Amino acid sequence: MLRRSLSRLCAGEEKRVGTRTVVVGHRPVLETDAYVAQKFCDNRIVSSKYTLWNFLPKNLFEQFRRIANFYFLIIFLVQVIVDTPTSPVTSGLPLFFVITVTAIKQGYEDWLRHRADNEVNKSNVFIVENAKQVQKESEKIKVGDIVEVKADETFPCDLIFLASSSIDGTCYVTTASLDGESNFKTHYAVRDTTVLCTDEAIDALTATIECEQPQPDLYKFVGRIIIYRSNQEPIARSLGPENLLLKGATLKNTKKIYGVAVYTGMETKMALNYQGKSQKRSAVEKSINAFLIVYLCILLSKATVCTTLKYVWQSNPFNDEPWYNEKTKKERETFKVLRMFTDFLSFMVLFNFIIPVSMYVTVEMQKFLGSFFISWDKEMYDEEIKEGALVNTSDLNEELGQVEYVFTDKTGTLTENSMEFIECCIDGHKYKDCISEVDGFSQTDGPLKYGKAEKSREELFLRALCLCHTVQIKEADQVDGLIGHPERKYTYISSSPDEIALVKGAEKYGFTFLGLENDFMKIRNQTNETEMYQLLHVLNFDPVRRRMSVIVRTTTGKLLLFCKGADSSIFPRVQQEEIQQTKVHVDRNAMDGYRTLCVAFKELTQKEYDKIDRQLNEAKMALQDREEKMAKVFEDTEADMHLIGATAVEDRLQEQSAETIEALHAAGMKVWVLTGDKMETAKSTCYACRLFQTSTELLELTAKTVGESERKEDRLHELLMEYHKKLIQDIPKNRGGLKRSWTLCQEYGLIIDGSTLSLILNPSQDSSSSNYKNIFLQICLKCTAVLCCRMAPLQKAQIVRMVKNTKGSPITLSIGDGANDVSMILEAHVGIGIKGKEGRQASRNSDYAVPKFKHLRKLLLAHGHLYYVRIAHLVQYFFYKNLCFILPQFLYQFFCGFSQQPLYDAAYLTMYNICFTSLPILAYSLLEQHINIDTLTSDPQLYMKVSDNAMLQWKPFLYWTFLGAFEGLVFFFGVYFLFQNSSLEDNGKVFGNWTFGTIVFTVLVFTVTLKLALDTRFWTWMNHFVIWGSLAFYVFFSFFWGGVIWPFLKQQRMYFVFAHMLTSVSTWLAIILLIFISLFPEILLIVLKNIKEKNHQVRCRIAVRCPLQA
């Protein structure tokens, strides 16, 4: 793709490497020297990562790129090569377990992908060859093949639409699998091939297609088809997105179509869109890596101390070579430095279990299994769309509990995106009520004009609403859609709810759109007469122009251009004296929270139209820079128009959106609204959804306050400095150290528009204000709420990136429902898509998708809070239990002459992390609810208690580390003092070092498991099963392991040790006492905490009663 992009930029000719030439049906063209055959990929889809042959090496390579796995591999190799105190099995088996579990998981996922690929690749399709239909497997389609697709079938590759069973050469498709849009889209066949609707006719076609190389944008396509006919000049026609049928889309309400394959296999737009998203890493992962470095330093320190003290100990000749253990000749001749290095490695191996390799598998399992709770949440299921929440990535679950900034779209996110026509104005006259055929429909409003507009102007306005759109009509029983009236037997379909609302508004006032047939738009007027208009050109809407136009010809031959768009886009292009009377209505409607559009027209002469037609056709035929050339023609065409009036459409607030924003504010989050709407409309919505309170002081940085003069940069600088002084210099610094204390101060809100943001982010070269951005950022961060209006999609992403990269790297969340929100969703730490009415591009590109904005409250305050607490506890617990495990081993070296003698048996070393202590913490990290979910949702301030990564800071980490060190000391020295009298039985039989280690290990397993039981607040049958089951399994395993003479072991050092140990009453008492002493500080803390909470509750009750008595 990079080479292709470079080739497009570097080449200068029209036809270059950045384009491809496709021969339709592989029929040779007469001018053979003009065509150089190109090789294209086959139609196989490969979404799998591995093959049977490369799975093992590729998967192992990927797994060993993880530091912990690579570290344990080195330790294992050291154990194999060097004579170490523990068997290679002790580190090899846990590593093998981790690698195997991960490989099985990834292998299974890849097998599912292989199976899905085969279903697609082996499906049957029909190719037209030699005027006959030939059945082939989908993977055998080649670029240039003519493919026949029947109704309700999925397109097997990207096709140029040549002909269909419909006479007018149209077909209807749904693209739900691509962008989630379930509405029907109309596609058009190439004008000159629409009649070729039989196998024989289509096979006789001789043509070539020149088009751009594959690129992932679903909504862009640039190409042209050249049709060759005998004894005639070749005909060239432009090709655009309306002629391209995408792989994955489904043919609807059309019997069959013919198309020629232009992109196949991994070059189809669907395949290019599903090739990976950038990987987002959570803050928890960063904390794990930091803690891992600390424990690695502890490990190195232990190994260094023990190696040093060993040689200090051996400086005494008697200790170095006692009479009962003389050195061999080889040992005497070995270099001392090499011996020291070998000993250092041996100590590293002995203590290596302080690094918890199994933690990574447990964390992965916790994230994967935990994500199902979001999908299963019935409260986040929407009855209207029959869908619930969706998790696209489980790696960021805990990040939901750390959000500081929420960036939200307005239309379709805070509002319903269900448009209703409210009113309109024509030549300054307000119209609200339905009209009769005679009386008109004017209504006056306060200081606005009385009376009504001329009848001809009313009709012109309503015709403009009926003609200037891309609405399609379909029979109501054939498609799900919006049905305006029960008696109407059709429904309007459009990608924009605004357009349907306007067409319905015109229908309410007597002008009904009847559909498009053979390039003629039909409307029924107020006198029930049918009018016909030839549709000559559609100048499509785009977010940059913010308007759309149509050029039509009346039956009398008159040429008209109708245009509708945002007021900021229309006003500069109409006669200035016409603006004021309409602007009053537009501003008032915007203040009321309505979405406004202005309508304009102009009459074209035949000469003007011929020029526009020629320019448009030239621009459409361009293979390079087509969009820029089209935009230039649009700009020239949509000039010197006459303003007719404006419309007002209401987009209601979503249910509970105001309550949700209040809850997010109370939880310490700052909410920013980023919208493309005009300021007045967005401002009204922000007040309605309580983003701005009546007490909020608003600061404005808009074209209105900055001005349009040459001094606007100076004025902007003045405003920035004024606001900076007000917010930063004049407000005293917070002394209480409260987290997110801005919620306690005077509330400020900032309003900025797109043009002013461009000035701030991209100041002119001669501007002395290069620090605009920093001042602006400081102002923004001090405001409780920010409204950014008139934002382009790229500007939304710039805002998110700017906040994300500030000092402290605050966690950002973006939520939106449309394609224009995708950029900010991908930019934020956490991206949330709403399954809205503007398609599913947002939910498809997001990390999580929810049906409504209100579901964000529970997703963050309940799920996010709990996920963070669970995984934070899991991480700290893993480091804690491994420190408890290895510290006694380290202390034991001081009592065995630093001889690297292991304290625990190899089986215990191997099974500790895999079996004895893994399941309880996994169950805890999936099921724990330290606070009830309803309480978390209803009390947002609880969210602040875990904000700023509170549970994985150095303070709690040190607490867990000291707790682990304390318990390790208790385990070792408690058993050591018990062994002051090594005869623990009445018969005087002495216990040995393996009994000593087994007692320490027993106390260890019971203590760390019971510690988790003390931490558990939400008990389920599963918690009981894994906690008590793990302890029972340990006891059973110990009896079993020591009760059998194993033939594969060289020595039976654990034979009958555990059973014999439990025959001593002293051992029983010691185990129980040591477990109690180890857990006593934790029990004491819990008791003190409960007493403190009860005292607080009592004080609250007294405080409530006293005012009542007074």
Side-chain angles (χ1 to χ4, degrees):
M1 286 301 291
L2 180 62
R3 281 204 304 272
R4 291 175 192 145
S5 301
L6 287 172
S7 66
R8 284 191 205 125
L9 291 169
C10 298
E13 296 176 35
E14 185 74 349
K15 182 180 173 184
R16 45 186 155 179
V17 185
T19 63
R20 61 167 54 186
T21 303
V22 177
V23 179
V24 177
H26 309 290
R27 291 176 63 85
V29 181
L30 296 176
E31 295 85 5
T32 50
D33 57 337
Y35 170 64
V36 179
Q38 298 180 46
K39 289 185 178 180
F40 305 108
C41 70
D42 58 24
N43 198 39
R44 280 186 307 128
I45 286 290
V46 182
S47 63
S48 55
K49 199 174 182 179
Y50 309 105
T51 65
L52 196 62
W53 309 110
N54 73 7
F55 174 72
L56 206 59
K58 193 173 180 180
N59 186 264
L60 288 175
F61 172 74
E62 287 179 352
Q63 290 207 57
F64 285 119
R65 286 169 66 187
R66 180 169 272 172
I67 294 171
N69 289 349
F70 184 71
Y71 163 78
F72 266 82
L73 177 66
I74 296 297
I75 292 293
F76 173 70
L77 293 175
V78 167
Q79 285 179 295
V80 171
I81 297 165
V82 180
D83 182 20
T84 55
T86 56
S87 164
V89 174
T90 56
S91 59
L93 194 61
L95 180 64
F96 177 75
F97 172 76
V98 168
I99 297 293
T100 304
V101 167
T102 308
I104 289 171
K105 174 179 169 283
Q106 292 177 350
Y108 174 69
E109 288 173 351
D110 204 61
W111 175 77
L112 291 177
R113 286 192 285 266
H114 270 285
R115 193 172 69 174
D117 289 347
N118 282 333
E119 283 180 14
V120 174
N121 294 333
K122 301 297 180 184
S123 60
N124 292 323
V125 294
F126 290 97
I127 312 291
V128 177
E129 290 181 0
N130 301 320
K132 294 179 181 177
Q133 286 190 21
V134 180
Q135 187 171 316
K136 288 187 177 181
E137 291 178 343
S138 175
E139 64 184 2
K140 292 181 180 174
I141 294 176
K142 297 175 183 173
V143 170
D145 282 348
I146 296 174
V147 183
E148 181 188 288
V149 180
K150 293 185 173 66
D152 297 318
E153 289 182 354
T154 301
F155 300 119
C157 57
D158 289 352
L159 304 167
I160 291 297
F161 182 19
L162 296 176
S164 78
S165 55
S166 302
I167 302 169
D168 58 357
T170 61
C171 73
Y172 297 95
V173 304
T174 58
T175 54
S177 60
L178 294 170
D179 57 16
E181 293 186 18
S182 56
N183 57 318
F184 285 26
K185 294 184 175 69
T186 309
H187 286 255
Y188 303 92
V190 179
R191 192 190 310 168
D192 301 85
T193 61
T194 52
V195 294
L196 308 175
C197 45
T198 63
D199 295 344
E200 294 79 11
I202 201 74
D203 191 58
L205 175 66
T206 303
T208 58
I209 292 171
E210 293 175 7
C211 60
E212 63 186 358
Q213 291 288 12
Q215 53 104 348
D217 194 321
L218 296 175
Y219 309 101
K220 289 182 182 176
F221 176 73
V222 175
R224 64 182 169 216
I225 184 169
I226 303 167
I227 301 167
Y228 299 88
R229 292 173 179 171
S230 56
N231 303 321
Q232 291 182 26
E233 283 292 314
I235 300 170
R237 299 289 182 207
S238 65
L239 299 173
E242 69 277 4
N243 308 116
L244 185 68
L245 303 171
L246 299 177
K247 177 183 176 66
T250 305
L251 183 66
K252 292 287 183 184
N253 288 12
T254 312
K255 288 182 182 177
K256 67 174 182 179
I257 65 101
Y258 292 105
V260 58
V262 285
Y263 303 130
T264 51
M266 299 309 291
E267 291 185 338
T268 58
K269 288 183 181 284
M270 185 181 82
L272 293 173
N273 268 277
Y274 284 101
Q275 287 178 0
K277 276 195 311 191
S278 60
Q279 192 67 30
K280 295 180 180 179
R281 290 180 64 215
S282 71
V284 169
E285 276 188 60
K286 295 168 189 171
S287 297
I288 290 174
N289 291 337
F291 298 162
L292 208 60
I293 291 168
V294 171
Y295 270 68
L296 195 59
C297 292
I298 293 172
L299 171 63
L300 291 169
S301 303
K302 284 182 175 181
T304 304
V305 167
C306 286
T307 306
T308 306
L309 291 178
K310 176 177 182 175
Y311 283 90
V312 171
W313 165 265
Q314 289 181 352
S315 60
N316 184 333
F318 177 76
N319 293 335
D320 185 33
E321 192 175 358
W323 59 271
Y324 55 83
N325 190 19
E326 292 183 0
K327 290 182 180 179
T328 62
K329 184 180 180 183
K330 184 181 177 183
E331 286 174 333
R332 287 197 182 96
E333 291 174 354
T334 306
F335 287 113
K336 190 171 184 179
V337 174
L338 184 60
R339 283 208 317 270
M340 289 179 74
F341 179 68
T342 307
D343 284 331
F344 177 79
L345 290 179
S346 297
F347 280 118
M348 285 282 287
V349 168
L350 193 63
F351 303 141
N352 80 83
F353 287 95
I354 198 170
I355 306 295
V357 67
S358 58
M359 178 179 68
Y360 285 95
V361 172
T362 311
V363 165
E364 274 191 24
M365 290 174 70
Q366 190 269 348
K367 287 183 174 184
F368 174 69
L369 296 172
S371 64
F372 286 106
F373 290 113
I374 294 177
S375 304
W376 292 338
D377 193 330
K378 290 180 181 177
E379 289 182 21
M380 294 169 75
Y381 181 83
D382 188 66
E383 288 293 340
E384 188 181 336
I385 62 171
K386 303 294 181 189
E387 288 184 55
L390 177 69
V391 179
N392 293 325
T393 173
S394 58
D395 292 338
L396 303 170
N397 293 343
E398 64 279 5
E399 211 82 323
L400 294 169
Q402 296 296 299
V403 175
E404 289 184 50
Y405 287 86
V406 175
F407 299 93
T408 173
D409 178 40
K410 183 183 78 70
T411 307
T413 305
L414 295 177
T415 61
E416 290 182 351
N417 201 13
S418 179
M419 309 299 177
E420 183 184 349
F421 187 91
I422 300 297
E423 63 181 60
C424 62
C425 84
I426 303 170
D427 290 342
H429 298 276
K430 179 177 174 182
Y431 293 78
K432 197 162 188 176
D433 300 321
C434 295
I435 62 168
S436 66
E437 291 180 16
V438 182
D439 297 336
F441 58 114
S442 178
Q443 175 186 322
T444 58
D445 183 23
L448 307 176
K449 281 192 178 181
Y450 287 86
K452 59 178 182 178
E454 296 173 11
K455 184 75 173 174
S456 60
R457 298 287 286 181
E458 290 177 358
E459 291 180 349
L460 182 66
F461 179 81
L462 293 171
R463 285 189 181 99
L465 293 188
C466 279
L467 296 171
C468 189
H469 56 74
T470 55
V471 172
Q472 297 289 328
I473 279 184
K474 210 56 199 161
E475 294 301 318
D477 58 349
Q478 292 180 323
V479 61
D480 295 330
L482 300 166
I483 300 173
H485 301 291
E487 68 272 11
R488 195 168 70 200
K489 295 182 180 178
Y490 52 83
T491 183
Y492 293 131
I493 304 164
S494 174
S495 56
S496 168
D498 293 79
E499 290 201 323
I500 294 175
L502 294 178
V503 172
K504 284 184 177 180
E507 182 181 6
K508 190 166 65 171
Y509 297 136
F511 275 75
T512 305
F513 174 60
L514 300 175
L516 178 68
E517 189 176 320
N518 296 326
D519 289 336
F520 280 89
M521 299 180 85
K522 294 192 294 184
I523 62 174
R524 187 171 59 237
N525 61 25
Q526 293 168 357
T527 57
N528 277 332
E529 295 172 349
T530 301
E531 300 177 4
M532 303 282 282
Y533 294 85
Q534 185 183 1
L535 180 61
L536 300 173
H537 286 289
V538 177
L539 282 57
N540 285 314
F541 175 88
D542 67 66
V544 178
R545 284 167 54 242
R546 298 180 60 78
R547 61 188 183 275
M548 74 153 294
S549 301
V550 294
I551 300 175
V552 296
R553 191 196 306 271
T554 67
T555 50
T556 59
K558 191 185 288 187
L559 292 161
L560 296 171
L561 177 140
F562 290 109
C563 180
K564 73 167 190 278
D567 59 314
S568 60
S569 178
I570 298 291
F571 286 167
R573 290 166 178 79
V574 298
Q575 309 303 315
Q576 294 305 299
E577 63 273 10
E578 300 171 343
I579 293 174
Q580 190 55 41
Q581 57 187 10
T582 302
K583 190 174 185 298
V584 177
H585 287 271
V586 170
D587 291 344
R588 178 167 295 194
N589 287 332
M591 290 295 288
D592 292 336
Y594 298 143
R595 291 166 63 85
T596 58
L597 285 175
C598 294
V599 181
F601 90 105
K602 80 171 176 180
E603 194 171 333
L604 301 171
T605 63
Q606 186 63 46
K607 187 178 178 181
E608 287 173 331
Y609 171 72
D610 290 341
K611 182 184 176 185
I612 292 167
D613 183 56
R614 188 182 69 255
Q615 290 176 336
L616 281 172
N617 287 330
E618 285 174 3
K620 285 178 181 177
M621 291 301 292
L623 286 185
Q624 305 299 327
D625 304 322
R626 179 185 288 184
E627 289 178 9
E628 290 80 358
K629 291 174 182 176
M630 296 277 281
K632 176 71 170 64
V633 180
F634 291 172
E635 187 75 20
D636 295 340
T637 305
E638 297 166 329
D640 300 321
M641 297 184 291
H642 296 278
L643 188 63
I644 318 172
T647 62
V649 174
E650 183 180 23
D651 187 9
R652 291 191 183 90
L653 273 183
Q654 276 194 25
E655 179 192 2
Q656 294 181 28
S657 59
E659 290 83 353
T660 303
I661 284 182
E662 278 192 329
L664 298 180
H665 263 217
M669 285 175 255
K670 292 187 180 182
V671 182
W672 293 27
V673 174
L674 313 181
T675 179
D677 251 350
K678 63 183 309 204
M679 187 187 85
E680 291 78 6
T681 308
K683 189 174 169 183
S684 175
T685 304
C686 288
Y687 273 112
C689 67
R690 300 174 204 162
L691 181 74
F692 294 153
Q693 306 290 338
T694 49
S695 60
T696 305
E697 185 178 338
L698 294 183
L699 313 174
E700 286 190 23
L701 288 171
T702 60
K704 188 176 174 183
T705 55
V706 173
E708 294 294 334
S709 65
E710 294 178 1
R711 288 191 63 255
K712 59 184 176 183
E713 289 205 357
D714 297 333
R715 176 61 182 150
L716 174 63
H717 181 72
E718 290 171 14
L719 284 172
L720 285 172
M721 297 313 296
E722 180 189 331
Y723 296 159
H724 185 270
K725 184 175 184 297
K726 183 179 287 190
L727 269 75
I728 285 89
Q729 296 172 14
D730 293 352
I731 293 179
K733 289 186 178 179
N734 171 44
R735 295 178 182 176
L738 291 170
K739 282 194 289 186
R740 307 188 184 186
S741 57
W742 55 266
T743 52
L744 307 175
C745 305
Q746 159 67 40
E747 290 194 359
Y748 288 95
L750 179 72
I751 301 175
I752 184 168
D753 60 12
S755 57
T756 313
L757 183 68
S758 297
L759 272 179
I760 290 169
L761 298 181
N762 310 302
S764 59
Q765 295 295 321
D766 59 340
S767 171
S768 59
S769 311
S770 55
N771 62 341
Y772 275 176
K773 188 175 174 181
N774 292 332
I775 298 171
F776 170 67
L777 189 57
Q778 289 177 38
I779 293 168
C780 286
L781 298 182
K782 286 291 181 181
C783 290
T784 54
V786 178
L787 166 62
C788 303
C789 46
R790 298 296 200 198
M791 288 284 129
L794 185 62
Q795 287 181 313
K796 290 184 177 185
Q798 284 179 318
I799 288 277
V800 175
R801 190 183 306 120
M802 183 181 72
V803 174
K804 190 172 81 169
N805 295 333
T806 55
K807 187 180 178 183
S809 301
I811 304 299
T812 57
L813 178 147
S814 290
I815 179 167
D817 72 315
N820 60 332
D821 303 315
V822 169
S823 54
M824 74 169 182
I825 284 171
L826 293 175
E827 185 62 48
H829 291 97
V830 183
I832 300 197
I834 298 234
K835 299 176 178 181
K837 296 179 182 177
E838 290 188 17
R840 296 296 172 86
Q841 299 98 313
S843 59
R844 188 162 53 82
N845 286 280
S846 63
D847 303 307
Y848 303 87
V850 292
K852 294 280 174 65
F853 182 76
K854 66 178 181 180
H855 297 131
L856 187 64
R857 178 174 185 164
K858 188 173 185 185
L859 186 67
L860 298 185
L861 302 188
H863 289 291
H865 184 117
L866 290 174
Y867 281 132
Y868 175 75
V869 169
R870 290 165 182 168
I871 202 164
H873 200 285
L874 182 151
V875 170
Q876 300 280 28
Y877 179 80
F878 254 97
F879 284 109
Y880 148 81
K881 73 184 180 71
N882 278 35
L883 182 61
C884 291
F885 181 42
I886 287 304
L887 186 60
Q889 176 72 73
F890 171 69
L891 296 171
Y892 187 58
Q893 296 309 302
F894 288 84
F895 296 88
C896 66
F898 306 98
S899 60
Q900 296 144 15
Q901 168 67 30
L903 175 63
Y904 312 116
D905 180 62
Y908 289 156
L909 284 170
T910 306
M911 302 282 280
Y912 177 72
N913 277 319
I914 296 176
C915 299
F916 300 149
T917 59
S918 59
L919 284 179
I921 184 60
L922 179 61
Y924 176 94
S925 65
L926 288 172
L927 303 170
E928 174 61 9
Q929 292 179 28
H930 64 297
I931 301 173
N932 184 273
I933 284 182
D934 292 333
T935 307
L936 286 172
T937 310
S938 59
D939 186 0
Q941 291 191 349
L942 293 169
Y943 189 86
M944 282 196 278
K945 290 190 175 181
V946 297
S947 62
D948 303 321
N949 205 13
M951 294 180 68
L952 287 174
Q953 296 293 343
W954 289 110
K955 190 175 177 181
F957 173 71
L958 290 173
Y959 166 76
W960 281 90
T961 303
F962 283 125
L963 189 66
F966 167 75
E967 291 178 8
L969 289 167
V970 170
F971 301 158
F972 182 82
F973 287 108
V975 179
Y976 176 76
F977 288 125
L978 174 70
F979 269 69
Q980 291 304 302
N981 177 12
S982 57
S983 176
L984 298 177
E985 290 185 285
D986 295 337
N987 58 10
K989 190 172 181 179
V990 176
F991 280 4
N993 64 316
W994 295 114
T995 306
F996 180 89
T998 304
I999 297 173
V1000 172
F1001 192 79
T1002 304
V1003 176
L1004 164 71
V1005 170
F1006 273 79
T1007 301
V1008 297
T1009 306
L1010 292 174
K1011 161 79 171 92
L1012 198 62
L1014 282 174
D1015 290 340
T1016 303
R1017 299 284 178 274
F1018 185 74
W1019 284 91
T1020 65
W1021 67 266
M1022 198 174 288
N1023 293 94
H1024 284 290
F1025 177 76
V1026 294
I1027 286 177
W1028 314 124
S1030 292
L1031 295 176
F1033 175 73
Y1034 165 68
V1035 174
F1036 170 78
F1037 175 82
S1038 297
F1039 275 116
F1040 183 67
W1041 180 245
V1044 178
I1045 296 177
W1046 300 99
F1048 55 83
L1049 294 178
K1050 293 179 182 177
Q1051 66 281 337
Q1052 305 292 328
R1053 58 194 182 197
M1054 291 301 292
Y1055 182 65
F1056 224 64
V1057 166
F1058 189 78
H1060 188 228
M1061 176 191 85
L1062 295 182
T1063 60
S1064 167
V1065 177
S1066 304
T1067 304
W1068 278 92
L1069 288 172
I1071 290 171
I1072 294 167
L1073 184 63
L1074 290 175
I1075 291 171
F1076 176 74
I1077 293 171
S1078 300
L1079 293 175
F1080 181 72
E1082 196 72 14
I1083 295 167
L1084 191 63
L1085 278 174
I1086 291 170
V1087 171
L1088 291 173
K1089 190 178 177 183
N1090 288 340
I1091 292 170
K1092 188 178 178 182
E1093 283 179 3
K1094 283 182 180 178
N1095 288 340
H1096 178 68
Q1097 288 171 3
V1098 169
R1099 280 198 298 271
C1100 288
R1101 283 176 196 152
I1102 293 170
V1104 169
R1105 283 173 189 166
C1106 286
L1108 291 174
Q1109 290 171 358

